[in-house]
Amino acid sequence: MMGPRKEAQAALFYEFSLEEHVPQDHPLRSIDRFVDLSTIRAHLADFYSHTGRPSVDPELLIRMLLVGYCFGIRSERRLCEEVHLNLAYRWFCRLDLTDRIPDHSTFSKNRHGRFRESDLLRHVFETTVARCMAEGLVGGQGFAVDASLVVADVQKQNSSNPEDWEAREIAPADAPRAVREYLDVLDNEAFGAASEVKPKFTAHVDPASQWTAARKGPAFFAYSDNYLIDTDHGIIVDVEASRSVKTAEVGASRRMLDRTSERFGLKPDWVAADTAYGSAENLAWLALDRQILPFIPVFDKSKRQDGTWSRSDFTWDPANDRYLCPEGKELKRTQQYHKDPRNKQPRTGRRKYRASKMVCSFCPAKEKCCPKVDARSVTRERFEEVREFARQCTASEYNPKAQARRKKVEMLFAHLKRILGLGRLRLRGPCGVQDAFTLAATAQNLRKLAKLKPLGPATG
């Protein structure tokens, strides 16, 4: 028999508990155990007035942002709608059924104001890293560093040649926020001073973004998200935004290593990275200045492609400051004479070694060595000893294990883009991009904590 029609009637009183309606196995319950925001009020105390209307609770804003980044809700307008409707989100944000949700514009106001002035998002991130360390998830012996391209929120149609863009007269007060931020970081090695080479296009609304074709496809505007992770459990110990050029990414890795040592006292025994970090200067900085073993392939273009002997086929004799060719003949160091007054400075310690023309002319292996010149010459880089040390590290038995652990940072980037939805930025400018990357790294660490330290079985 068909039952009677159900008529919805509003009750005068309700007995409702958010705690009972949020499932015990909901991910936010595990994440909530590791969110410690007890210090943010003291951190922000100097950035609030002692008079006037009470502001929105900063802890509520941070919790809402964490919800958005943990579950891939990129739009702050949509985030407010989701928190309004979802009971689990309300429970995590400490909101009752009758509490009002802040307006979406509140996030922008605080992000461009007191949050950025106080570096609050960095404070929240470092608090999460400290919790990971307290839970025993950070070993501190081995680190890995890498960078990933994230598409900027600009279009090629809204760009022009750098010379044409710089020629325009724009009053700083009338410029967009992203342009003002770019002008502030022109001397920063992560952005304006990262490279003297000017890109083909400059975006009008976000000039700090880099025009790049690094993905071997159509070029686009992007930023680089730099991660420094502990390889034990893939915890992100530092994060940095930079331009998408190699020099900026290498500089970001150095800043992250120094900052991690300063803030947490973590100094790794070794660091793993790809060839982009294998320049002689960076290897020397790691091995000599910071006493860190570099499991990094050496960036080397000395190998010849025409079948003749490369520099690696020659033997270095440090006692006599010379090279020996495969035939046993010596290559002596040449004297550098600078006849051109514009070229008085030698190239950063690079030395050149050359064989005797008479010896090479009658050598039976001349066609294999130097068929197009009278005598063979070999250059030796300034930090060649450090490069050789790095080659020994990558040839050691531990290198395959270090490279396997390095892949954890690539997995984090895949998780960032596919699960958290940060394949394209919504914020512009160096500061906005840094905020987005910092919040995303915080969310990834919280999700990792919830996964590795799950809730026990419910009791009672």
Side-chain angles (χ1 to χ4, degrees), residues 343-360:
N343 190 25
K344 291 184 178 181
Q345 297 296 329
R347 295 185 59 186
T348 63
R350 176 181 292 182
R351 294 172 290 176
K352 187 176 183 179
Y353 296 80
R354 191 172 186 273
S356 171
K357 179 180 178 181
M358 183 65 67
V359 172
C360 289

Side-chain angles (χ1 to χ4, degrees), residues 245-296:
V245 294
K246 183 174 65 176
T247 53
E249 294 170 358
V250 172
S253 69
R254 297 185 185 184
R255 287 194 301 277
M256 291 189 294
L257 282 167
D258 285 344
R259 187 163 50 201
T260 303
S261 176
E262 177 185 352
R263 302 289 176 87
F264 304 108
L266 294 176
K267 182 181 178 182
D269 297 329
W270 54 269
V271 169
D274 57 26
T275 314
Y277 300 85
S279 63
E281 291 76 10
N282 190 48
L283 294 175
W285 184 86
L286 287 170
L288 301 180
D289 295 347
R290 297 299 182 268
Q291 303 295 312
I292 300 174
L293 293 176
F295 289 100
I296 304 174

Side-chain angles (χ1 to χ4, degrees), residues 164-413:
D164 298 337
W165 184 82
E166 293 173 359
R168 298 191 308 168
E169 295 183 0
I170 303 176
D174 299 332
R177 181 181 289 107
V179 176
R180 297 198 302 269
E181 292 178 4
Y182 170 70
L183 296 176
D184 292 337
V185 297
L186 280 176
D187 296 330
N188 191 327
E189 62 178 1
F191 292 99
S195 175
E196 296 180 356
V197 179
K198 292 187 177 181
K200 187 176 180 181
F201 296 101
T202 296
H204 298 163
V205 294
D206 193 358
S209 59
Q210 178 73 26
W211 178 254
T212 178
R215 291 179 179 173
K216 309 301 181 183
F220 57 95
F221 288 100
Y223 283 91
S224 283
D225 188 5
N226 301 270
Y227 276 0
L228 179 69
I229 72 164
D230 181 84
T231 58
D232 283 1
H233 295 93
I235 298 298
I236 305 170
V237 294
D238 208 342
V239 56
E240 184 80 10
S242 71
R243 287 180 65 187
S244 300
V245 294
K246 183 174 65 176
T247 53
E249 294 170 358
V250 172
S253 69
R254 297 185 185 184
R255 287 194 301 277
M256 291 189 294
L257 282 167
D258 285 344
R259 187 163 50 201
T260 303
S261 176
E262 177 185 352
R263 302 289 176 87
F264 304 108
L266 294 176
K267 182 181 178 182
D269 297 329
W270 54 269
V271 169
D274 57 26
T275 314
Y277 300 85
S279 63
E281 291 76 10
N282 190 48
L283 294 175
W285 184 86
L286 287 170
L288 301 180
D289 295 347
R290 297 299 182 268
Q291 303 295 312
I292 300 174
L293 293 176
F295 289 100
I296 304 174
V298 177
F299 185 77
D300 190 0
K301 291 187 177 181
S302 64
K303 186 173 179 60
R304 294 190 170 186
Q305 305 298 327
D306 58 358
T308 59
W309 287 332
S310 301
R311 183 173 58 186
S312 58
D313 296 318
F314 291 74
T315 304
W316 168 243
D317 182 8
N320 299 304
D321 189 21
R322 64 177 183 174
Y323 273 100
L324 295 176
C325 74
E327 293 292 325
K329 307 302 180 181
E330 68 176 2
L331 287 77
K332 296 182 179 180
R333 183 176 178 181
T334 62
Q335 298 293 331
Q336 294 184 355
Y337 298 97
H338 304 286
K339 296 182 180 180
D340 189 345
R342 297 171 298 178
N343 190 25
K344 291 184 178 181
Q345 297 296 329
R347 295 185 59 186
T348 63
R350 176 181 292 182
R351 294 172 290 176
K352 187 176 183 179
Y353 296 80
R354 191 172 186 273
S356 171
K357 179 180 178 181
M358 183 65 67
V359 172
C360 289
S361 298
F362 296 97
C363 180
K366 188 177 188 304
E367 294 299 320
K368 185 67 176 178
C369 182
C370 53
K372 298 181 180 180
V373 295
D374 296 333
R376 179 62 188 266
S377 62
V378 172
T379 58
R380 184 171 181 82
E381 303 295 335
R382 177 186 178 189
F383 297 110
E384 191 61 32
E385 291 82 0
V386 178
R387 286 155 59 92
E388 187 60 33
F389 174 72
R391 292 187 184 98
Q392 295 175 7
C393 290
T394 54
S396 65
E397 297 180 353
Y398 191 79
N399 184 62
K401 183 177 180 180
Q403 296 303 323
R405 290 190 169 193
R406 185 184 68 83
K407 294 181 179 179
K408 293 181 180 180
V409 68
E410 298 176 358
M411 296 170 61
L412 284 169
F413 285 134

